Amino acid sequence: MAYDRNNIFARILRGEIPSKKVYEDAHALAFHDIAPQAPIHVLVIPKGEYVSWDDFSARAGEAEIAGFVRAVGTVARQLGIAEKGYRLLANHGADGGQEVPHLHVHLFGGRRLGRMVAKAGE
Ligand code: AMP
């Protein structure tokens, strides 16, 4: 799948659409999800043009991968949820339920998060 430079997260990265930013560095941007599904629901995205985890893991350079992974951990610690716990989720493709075609890791926390995956048909 080719990267779409007009996807909503690309537009947030360019500052064309506002976001509630919680963190930014050379490799990543983190902002609150517009429709939170937990008391804390933040999205962490790489600054590079990657459609999904599949694309990122295949094409990104070592510095980008290290920078992005470290940013996710930093954001969780900054949000104060590292001690009590949190969940990371990255949807890829149709079966994963991915809606926005720019890699994003969901970071959920602030309560007990329940079962990991929806039952079939949910
Ligand atoms: P996914 O299904 O993994 O692609 O998740 C996309 C997520 O992006 C959903 O949780 C949406 O609520 C969230 N989202 C969509 N548009 C925005 C936006 N403008 N700002 C923040 N979050 C958004």
Side-chain angles (χ1 to χ4, degrees):
M1 184 183 187
Y3 184 80
D4 170 14
R5 289 195 166 144
N6 283 319
N7 79 76
I8 194 137
F9 294 168
R11 299 185 67 199
I12 284 175
L13 276 170
R14 291 196 296 268
E16 295 168 7
I17 290 178
S19 69
K20 286 171 68 181
K21 182 163 85 173
V22 299
Y23 178 81
E24 182 169 15
D25 66 18
H27 294 287
L29 175 70
F31 52 91
H32 290 282
D33 195 289
I34 205 166
Q37 297 188 37
I40 292 174
H41 183 176
V42 163
L43 302 172
V44 191
I45 69 175
K47 289 200 165 169
E49 296 182 346
Y50 299 102
V51 175
S52 69
W53 190 270
D54 183 61
D55 188 22
F56 186 69
S57 61
R59 290 198 303 110
E62 309 295 311
E64 285 177 296
I65 292 172
F68 182 63
V69 170
R70 287 199 189 280
V72 173
T74 298
V75 171
R77 285 189 293 276
Q78 279 195 1
L79 290 167
I81 54 175
E83 205 159 302
K84 287 191 107 176
Y86 58 82
R87 180 171 295 160
L88 302 177
L89 176 74
N91 294 318
H92 163 65
D95 276 2
Q98 184 177 5
E99 292 173 359
V100 179
H102 181 112
L103 171 61
H104 47 286
V105 170
H106 297 256
L107 176 53
F108 300 103
R111 67 164 166 82
R112 292 289 173 119
L113 291 163
R115 70 165 180 257
M116 261 198 299
V117 180
K119 289 182 181 163
E122 271 186 340

